[in-house]
Amino acid sequence: MRKIAVLASGNGTNLQALIDAINTGFIKNAEINVVISNRKQAYALERARNNDIEALWINSKEFFDCDEYNERILSELKSRGIDLVLLAGYMKVLNWKFARDFEGRIMNVHPSLIPAFCGKGFYGNRVHEAVLASGVKITGATVHFVDEGIDTGPIILQKAIMVRPDETVESLKERVLEVEHRLYPLAVKLFCENRLRVIGKKVIILPQTKQRRRNGCQEEL
Ligand code: GAR
Protein backbone atom coordinates (compact mmCIF):
# COMPACT_ATOMS: atom_id res chain seq x y z
CA MET A 1 0.00 0.00 0.00
CA ARG A 2 1.49 3.37 -1.06
CA LYS A 3 1.09 6.14 1.45
CA ILE A 4 0.31 9.44 -0.23
CA ALA A 5 0.46 12.99 1.13
CA VAL A 6 -1.29 15.78 -0.78
CA LEU A 7 -0.15 19.38 -0.40
CA ALA A 8 -2.79 21.90 -1.48
CA SER A 9 -3.52 25.60 -1.01
CA GLY A 10 -6.88 26.11 -2.66
CA ASN A 11 -10.13 24.59 -3.79
CA GLY A 12 -8.76 21.06 -4.03
CA THR A 13 -10.58 19.81 -7.13
CA ASN A 14 -7.47 17.84 -8.08
CA LEU A 15 -7.41 16.36 -4.58
CA GLN A 16 -11.04 15.36 -5.08
CA ALA A 17 -10.21 13.70 -8.42
CA LEU A 18 -7.48 11.70 -6.66
CA ILE A 19 -9.78 10.70 -3.78
CA ASP A 20 -12.42 9.59 -6.30
CA ALA A 21 -9.87 7.63 -8.33
CA ILE A 22 -8.80 5.72 -5.23
CA ASN A 23 -12.39 5.14 -4.10
CA THR A 24 -13.45 3.77 -7.47
CA GLY A 25 -10.40 1.50 -7.66
CA PHE A 26 -8.88 3.29 -10.67
CA ILE A 27 -5.79 3.77 -8.49
CA LYS A 28 -5.09 0.58 -6.57
CA ASN A 29 -2.88 -0.09 -3.56
CA ALA A 30 -2.78 3.52 -2.45
CA GLU A 31 -4.22 5.62 0.33
CA ILE A 32 -4.12 9.34 1.03
CA ASN A 33 -2.66 9.47 4.52
CA VAL A 34 -2.75 13.24 5.02
CA VAL A 35 -3.63 16.51 3.30
CA ILE A 36 -1.47 19.47 4.29
CA SER A 37 -2.15 23.11 3.53
CA ASN A 38 -0.42 26.40 4.23
CA ARG A 39 -3.86 28.07 4.17
CA LYS A 40 -6.33 27.49 6.98
CA GLN A 41 -9.28 28.34 4.72
CA ALA A 42 -8.24 26.04 1.87
CA TYR A 43 -11.31 24.07 0.81
CA ALA A 44 -8.96 21.16 0.12
CA LEU A 45 -8.76 20.67 3.92
CA GLU A 46 -12.56 20.46 4.10
CA ARG A 47 -12.60 17.90 1.29
CA ALA A 48 -10.06 15.82 3.23
CA ARG A 49 -12.17 15.92 6.42
CA ASN A 50 -15.29 15.01 4.43
CA ASN A 51 -13.46 11.91 3.25
CA ASP A 52 -12.03 10.89 6.63
CA ILE A 53 -8.54 11.92 5.66
CA GLU A 54 -6.41 13.75 8.20
CA ALA A 55 -6.24 17.46 7.36
CA LEU A 56 -3.32 19.53 8.63
CA TRP A 57 -2.99 23.27 8.46
CA ILE A 58 0.67 24.22 8.87
CA ASN A 59 0.89 27.99 9.04
CA SER A 60 3.98 29.16 7.13
CA LYS A 61 3.84 32.49 8.98
CA GLU A 62 4.84 30.73 12.20
CA PHE A 63 8.23 29.82 10.79
CA PHE A 64 11.36 31.90 10.55
CA ASP A 65 11.84 31.29 6.85
CA CYS A 66 10.97 29.05 3.94
CA ASP A 67 13.64 26.47 4.86
CA GLU A 68 12.31 26.08 8.39
CA TYR A 69 8.77 25.70 7.05
CA ASN A 70 9.86 23.07 4.54
CA GLU A 71 11.74 21.24 7.29
CA ARG A 72 8.55 21.06 9.37
CA ILE A 73 6.59 19.53 6.50
CA LEU A 74 9.43 17.16 5.64
CA SER A 75 9.58 15.79 9.16
CA GLU A 76 5.79 15.35 9.14
CA LEU A 77 6.00 13.34 5.91
CA LYS A 78 8.94 11.24 7.10
CA SER A 79 7.37 10.42 10.45
CA ARG A 80 4.33 9.11 8.57
CA GLY A 81 6.40 7.02 6.17
CA ILE A 82 4.98 8.80 3.12
CA ASP A 83 5.89 7.19 -0.23
CA LEU A 84 4.55 9.81 -2.64
CA VAL A 85 3.96 13.55 -2.28
CA LEU A 86 1.40 15.15 -4.59
CA LEU A 87 1.30 18.89 -5.09
CA ALA A 88 -2.25 19.82 -6.02
CA GLY A 89 -2.57 23.57 -6.38
CA TYR A 90 0.12 24.05 -3.72
CA MET A 91 1.27 27.65 -3.92
CA LYS A 92 4.52 27.35 -1.95
CA VAL A 93 7.87 26.48 -3.46
CA LEU A 94 9.65 23.41 -2.08
CA ASN A 95 13.29 23.94 -1.18
CA TRP A 96 16.19 21.92 -2.58
CA LYS A 97 16.40 19.63 0.47
CA PHE A 98 12.74 18.67 0.14
CA ALA A 99 13.17 17.99 -3.57
CA ARG A 100 16.29 15.92 -2.94
CA ASP A 101 14.93 13.89 0.01
CA PHE A 102 11.84 12.90 -1.99
CA GLU A 103 13.49 12.75 -5.42
CA GLY A 104 11.37 10.80 -7.88
CA ARG A 105 8.54 10.74 -5.34
CA ILE A 106 7.02 14.23 -5.69
CA MET A 107 4.59 15.08 -8.47
CA ASN A 108 2.99 18.36 -9.48
CA VAL A 109 0.13 19.23 -11.80
CA HIS A 110 0.48 22.42 -13.82
CA PRO A 111 -2.22 24.12 -15.93
CA SER A 112 -0.22 24.57 -19.15
CA LEU A 113 1.95 22.63 -21.53
CA ILE A 114 5.37 22.89 -19.85
CA PRO A 115 7.85 24.41 -20.81
CA ALA A 116 5.36 27.10 -21.89
CA PHE A 117 3.72 29.38 -19.32
CA CYS A 118 5.49 27.95 -16.29
CA GLY A 119 8.17 28.85 -13.75
CA LYS A 120 8.27 31.67 -11.24
CA GLY A 121 5.04 33.68 -11.08
CA PHE A 122 3.04 31.26 -13.27
CA TYR A 123 0.36 29.73 -11.12
CA GLY A 124 -3.43 29.46 -11.11
CA ASN A 125 -5.28 32.07 -13.17
CA ARG A 126 -2.05 33.86 -14.07
CA VAL A 127 -1.18 30.97 -16.34
CA HIS A 128 -4.47 31.21 -18.24
CA GLU A 129 -4.22 35.02 -18.45
CA ALA A 130 -0.78 34.69 -20.00
CA VAL A 131 -2.00 32.01 -22.40
CA LEU A 132 -4.86 34.22 -23.62
CA ALA A 133 -2.65 37.32 -23.86
CA SER A 134 -0.11 35.45 -25.98
CA GLY A 135 -2.62 34.31 -28.59
CA VAL A 136 -1.46 30.68 -28.64
CA LYS A 137 -3.95 28.25 -30.17
CA ILE A 138 -3.26 25.31 -27.88
CA THR A 139 -2.67 24.89 -24.18
CA GLY A 140 -3.27 22.03 -21.78
CA ALA A 141 -2.05 20.40 -18.60
CA THR A 142 1.15 18.72 -17.45
CA VAL A 143 1.97 16.29 -14.66
CA HIS A 144 5.66 16.18 -13.83
CA PHE A 145 8.09 15.04 -11.19
CA VAL A 146 9.37 17.86 -9.02
CA ASP A 147 13.07 18.66 -8.99
CA GLU A 148 14.97 21.56 -7.43
CA GLY A 149 13.71 24.10 -9.99
CA ILE A 150 10.24 25.55 -10.54
CA ASP A 151 8.26 23.42 -13.04
CA THR A 152 11.51 21.98 -14.47
CA GLY A 153 11.26 18.32 -13.44
CA PRO A 154 10.78 15.35 -15.79
CA ILE A 155 7.41 15.37 -17.55
CA ILE A 156 5.20 12.33 -16.92
CA LEU A 157 2.03 13.14 -18.90
CA GLN A 158 0.67 16.02 -20.97
CA LYS A 159 -2.56 16.63 -22.80
CA ALA A 160 -3.39 19.52 -25.11
CA ILE A 161 -6.66 21.34 -25.77
CA MET A 162 -7.51 24.00 -28.35
CA VAL A 163 -7.92 27.58 -27.16
CA ARG A 164 -11.33 28.70 -28.44
CA PRO A 165 -11.77 32.13 -30.09
CA ASP A 166 -14.25 33.26 -27.41
CA GLU A 167 -12.25 31.80 -24.51
CA THR A 168 -12.15 33.59 -21.13
CA VAL A 169 -9.86 32.93 -18.18
CA GLU A 170 -12.75 31.23 -16.40
CA SER A 171 -13.71 28.98 -19.31
CA LEU A 172 -10.10 28.05 -19.95
CA LYS A 173 -9.47 27.30 -16.29
CA GLU A 174 -12.51 25.03 -16.21
CA ARG A 175 -11.57 23.19 -19.41
CA VAL A 176 -7.95 22.72 -18.32
CA LEU A 177 -9.06 21.50 -14.87
CA GLU A 178 -11.15 18.80 -16.57
CA VAL A 179 -7.96 17.62 -18.26
CA GLU A 180 -5.99 17.78 -15.01
CA HIS A 181 -8.61 15.65 -13.25
CA ARG A 182 -7.96 12.84 -15.72
CA LEU A 183 -4.22 13.29 -16.10
CA TYR A 184 -3.22 13.44 -12.43
CA PRO A 185 -4.98 10.24 -11.31
CA LEU A 186 -3.51 8.43 -14.32
CA ALA A 187 0.03 9.57 -13.43
CA VAL A 188 -0.49 8.40 -9.84
CA LYS A 189 -1.91 5.09 -11.03
CA LEU A 190 1.19 4.55 -13.19
CA PHE A 191 3.45 5.37 -10.24
CA CYS A 192 1.57 2.98 -7.97
CA GLU A 193 1.83 0.25 -10.62
CA ASN A 194 5.60 0.87 -10.70
CA ARG A 195 5.43 1.73 -14.42
CA LEU A 196 7.40 4.99 -14.38
CA ARG A 197 11.16 5.14 -14.99
CA VAL A 198 13.09 8.40 -15.03
CA ILE A 199 16.08 8.49 -17.35
CA GLY A 200 17.67 11.94 -17.27
CA LYS A 201 14.90 14.38 -18.22
CA LYS A 202 12.71 11.67 -19.75
CA VAL A 203 10.05 9.60 -18.08
CA ILE A 204 9.56 6.20 -19.64
CA ILE A 205 6.13 4.65 -19.15
CA LEU A 206 6.28 0.89 -19.04
CA PRO A 207 3.40 -0.88 -20.76
CA GLN A 208 0.92 -2.86 -18.73
CA THR A 209 0.67 -5.67 -21.23
CA LYS A 210 2.47 -6.76 -24.36
CA GLN A 211 -0.36 -5.50 -26.57
CA ARG A 212 0.04 -1.97 -25.23
CA ARG A 213 3.77 -1.86 -25.79
CA ARG A 214 3.47 -0.09 -29.13
CA ASN A 215 1.11 2.65 -28.03
CA GLY A 216 2.49 3.49 -24.60
CA CYS A 217 -0.25 4.60 -22.26
CA GLN A 218 -1.67 7.64 -24.07
CA GLU A 219 -4.57 5.39 -25.07
CA GLU A 220 -5.55 5.27 -21.41
CA LEU A 221 -6.27 9.01 -21.37
C1 GAR B 1 -4.83 23.80 -10.78
O1 GAR B 1 -5.21 24.34 -12.02
C2 GAR B 1 -3.35 23.50 -10.76
O2 GAR B 1 -2.85 23.04 -11.99
C3 GAR B 1 -2.78 24.84 -10.44
O3 GAR B 1 -3.65 25.35 -9.45
C4 GAR B 1 -4.96 24.83 -9.67
C5 GAR B 1 -5.45 24.22 -8.38
O4 GAR B 1 -6.79 23.82 -8.50
N1 GAR B 1 -1.43 24.75 -10.00
C6 GAR B 1 -0.50 25.62 -10.34
O5 GAR B 1 -0.71 26.62 -10.99
C7 GAR B 1 0.90 25.30 -9.82
N2 GAR B 1 1.88 26.03 -10.56
P1 GAR B 1 -7.46 22.87 -7.40
O6 GAR B 1 -7.14 23.47 -6.04
O7 GAR B 1 -8.93 22.96 -7.70
O8 GAR B 1 -6.90 21.49 -7.56
Side-chain angles (χ1 to χ4, degrees):
M1 184 68 78
R2 311 270 188 159
K3 266 193 190 182
I4 295 173
V6 179
L7 272 51
S9 304
N11 191 3
T13 63
N14 276 289
L15 166 67
Q16 191 65 56
L18 293 162
I19 292 172
D20 294 346
I22 290 173
N23 287 345
T24 60
F26 179 72
I27 300 171
K28 294 184 185 66
N29 297 324
E31 58 159 29
I32 300 178
N33 175 268
V34 66
V35 173
I36 300 176
S37 182
N38 58 310
R39 285 189 54 236
K40 190 179 184 184
Q41 310 302 338
Y43 191 62
L45 291 176
E46 192 64 28
R47 290 183 195 269
R49 288 184 210 107
N50 291 342
N51 287 276
D52 295 323
I53 297 167
E54 202 175 331
L56 275 187
W57 168 48
I58 302 182
N59 186 0
S60 56
K61 296 192 177 79
E62 283 174 12
F63 296 85
F64 175 68
D65 59 13
C66 167
D67 286 340
E68 211 178 77
Y69 176 66
N70 272 288
E71 197 54 50
R72 168 72 183 83
I73 296 181
L74 253 185
S75 64
E76 187 68 44
L77 302 179
K78 286 181 182 172
S79 70
R80 290 168 180 270
I82 296 296
D83 299 302
L84 177 64
V85 181
L86 301 177
L87 310 186
Y90 184 61
M91 299 307 169
K92 296 290 248 184
V93 176
L94 305 185
N95 66 359
W96 65 270
K97 185 171 185 299
F98 199 131
R100 198 191 54 193
D101 285 8
F102 273 87
E103 191 182 356
R105 297 190 295 142
I106 315 171
M107 288 183 189
N108 181 43
V109 63
H110 185 79
S112 76
L113 295 175
I114 289 175
F117 307 106
C118 64
K120 199 167 189 292
F122 283 99
Y123 55 85
N125 281 357
R126 290 185 185 204
V127 177
H128 305 305
E129 282 160 12
V131 164
L132 291 181
S134 75
V136 293
K137 304 288 187 196
I138 55 168
T139 185
T142 302
V143 179
H144 63 96
F145 282 117
V146 172
D147 66 7
E148 290 170 24
I150 301 177
D151 301 330
T152 52
I155 291 169
I156 303 166
L157 293 171
Q158 290 187 302
K159 190 165 170 65
I161 59 169
M162 301 296 290
V163 178
R164 294 175 178 157
D166 59 348
E167 203 80 74
T168 62
V169 169
E170 272 313 305
S171 67
L172 196 55
K173 175 182 169 177
E174 202 174 302
R175 293 177 60 229
V176 170
L177 271 174
E178 272 176 35
V179 175
E180 294 180 39
H181 297 163
R182 290 165 63 198
L183 221 53
Y184 213 0
L186 177 56
V188 174
K189 173 188 165 81
L190 293 169
F191 181 93
C192 292
E193 290 174 359
N194 200 22
R195 290 169 60 194
L196 300 179
R197 298 286 179 277
V198 182
I199 301 173
K201 283 288 283 179
K202 287 191 184 165
V203 177
I204 309 296
I205 299 171
L206 302 179
Q208 195 177 23
T209 63
K210 279 182 190 160
Q211 289 90 320
R212 287 198 176 162
R213 198 159 284 161
R214 284 191 184 177
N215 303 327
C217 85
Q218 287 289 332
E219 69 196 52
E220 292 175 41
L221 282 177

